[in-house]
Amino acid sequence: MTGPFRYTSPEPPKSATGVVADVYAQLATDFGIDRAVTFVVLSAAPPLLAGTWAVMRESLLAGQASRTGKEVVAAGVSLANRCPFCVTAHTVLLHATGDHALAERIARGEQPEDSRHRQLLAWGKDMSTPQPFSSGEAPEYIGTALAFHFINRIVSSLLTEEMLPGGAEKYRLVRSVAGRSLARTVRRELVPGESLALLETEGAAPAWAADTPIGAAFGALRAAAHLGAELLGDEDAALVRASVAAWDGVAPLPLHGEELPARAERPGARLALLAARAPYRITDEDVAAWLAPPFTDHCLVHLIAFGAICAVERIEDTLITRTEEHA
């Protein structure tokens, strides 16, 4: 396959089997976007695909919190991470909820008129600030935000910035029409937990998930993503973890030269660290320096996911620390 895929060649979705085919089927029904490239790019690693889909479904799509509010948070996260693909996707999905003016204000980089939406957008950009939602809604909002901190990094690393062919998403009419085509699906009420049967890994559920299906989904994604550390030596994996731990978990600051391993000397550590802290800076040369036999698409997806989950966990730590401080 070509088009939006920068470095991988996923199998055509129509040829999928097993859990990959099952995820695609649920994705089409519950998300409304058949063969969404955000997930197709993960298909070489089925446990990652299933975990990523489950976290997004159980936090953003299912549950009782406002879908519009969660889309605003996801847009804020995507703006903070400089992921234009995902920002556009969430403006389209806001059109699908019927919030057309809100969608276009965010698309133009403006503040929402509604004060609650302004607070949610600001929190999505900086999760260390006080939470503008109730404790009962927290698992869905936190799960949505962390899901897109992970997805943004996958997208920025492995996909082009264009959501639609030819960059058609830059036109307001196209965004609106695309959103309206998804309106019926977006407004459906989903049964929580139906994605959990697709999971192929298990991990501890975080306390913030409060015994919701989001916790099992997040634990599975975390376990699958950490498998990527096995592609690095112990020293390189430790370097990635230490660099991410030294980051404040908030500011999207670029890496300084001395913090980034040399491409020729430690290409795997460099690639994973860029995926964690500055995925939009990954170049063809960075990938080519590492992606050679015996490494495959499966390996590349896992390595990027390892960097992404390290960043997500750092953000999660910051969130927990600030929550305890405000308690």
Side-chain angles (χ1 to χ4, degrees):
M1 297 182 70
T2 56
F5 305 104
R6 295 176 66 191
Y7 305 117
T8 61
S9 299
E11 291 294 324
K14 63 183 180 182
S15 67
T17 59
V19 70
V20 175
D22 293 340
V23 170
Y24 287 164
Q26 195 173 80
L27 180 71
T29 300
D30 292 353
F31 194 38
I33 304 177
D34 190 27
R35 305 176 184 181
V37 295
T38 309
F39 296 96
V40 174
V41 76
L42 294 169
S43 61
L48 277 174
L49 169 64
T52 304
W53 162 243
V55 173
M56 193 191 81
R57 183 195 186 275
E58 302 306 331
S59 57
L60 176 67
L61 309 187
Q64 299 302 310
S66 162
R67 176 66 184 270
T68 294
K70 290 185 285 188
E71 289 291 351
V72 170
V73 164
V77 170
S78 301
L79 285 165
N81 289 329
R82 306 180 194 179
C83 184
F85 182 109
C86 292
V87 173
T88 300
H90 295 297
T91 59
V92 167
L93 289 166
L94 282 169
H95 275 293
T97 69
D99 293 281
H100 306 295
L102 173 60
E104 288 308 307
R105 289 188 74 86
I106 290 176
R108 294 192 299 268
E110 299 172 2
Q111 287 295 310
E113 292 183 342
D114 182 83
S115 61
R116 176 166 170 77
H117 292 155
R118 287 198 299 272
Q119 292 172 340
L120 288 169
L121 186 68
W123 183 80
K125 292 178 179 179
D126 180 356
M127 292 170 62
S128 69
T129 57
Q131 297 173 359
F133 40 78
S134 69
S135 59
E137 295 174 316
E140 292 176 46
Y141 278 110
I142 293 171
T144 294
L146 294 179
F148 283 95
H149 271 296
F150 184 83
I151 291 170
N152 287 170
R153 287 166 168 80
I154 298 297
V155 169
S156 291
S157 299
L158 299 175
L159 298 177
T160 65
E161 293 185 354
E162 293 184 351
M163 195 185 92
L164 297 173
E169 68 274 4
K170 63 178 176 288
Y171 299 108
R172 174 176 180 162
L173 178 61
V174 172
R175 294 193 295 270
S176 177
V177 170
R180 291 172 195 272
S181 72
L182 297 170
R184 181 175 297 181
T185 302
V186 165
R187 296 172 190 179
R188 286 179 55 226
E189 186 172 331
L190 301 183
V191 177
E194 289 192 342
S195 67
L196 301 188
L198 302 171
L199 298 175
E200 296 193 323
T201 48
E202 294 182 6
W208 54 259
D211 297 323
T212 64
I214 301 166
F218 188 83
L221 175 59
R222 190 201 306 264
H226 272 293
L227 293 174
E230 298 174 6
L231 295 162
L232 301 172
D234 291 343
E235 186 177 351
D236 280 356
L239 182 150
V240 174
R241 292 188 176 104
S243 176
V244 175
W247 172 49
D248 68 1
V250 178
L253 298 176
L255 289 162
H256 299 293
E258 64 274 13
E259 296 180 275
L260 196 58
R263 183 183 299 124
E265 297 171 5
R266 306 173 80 174
R270 179 186 178 94
L271 198 51
L273 189 51
L274 282 170
R277 292 187 53 186
Y280 48 85
R281 287 180 53 190
I282 290 176
T283 66
D284 296 353
E285 291 77 15
D286 290 323
V287 175
W290 182 80
L291 187 58
F295 297 134
T296 62
D297 284 3
H298 169 88
C299 301
L300 177 61
V301 169
H302 266 292
L303 184 64
I304 295 297
F306 169 62
I309 202 65
C310 286
V312 169
E313 289 178 326
R314 181 68 184 96
I315 295 162
E316 183 187 23
D317 289 344
T318 299
L319 171 70
I320 292 169
T321 300
R322 297 298 176 93
T323 300
E324 292 173 347
E325 290 175 352
H326 289 124

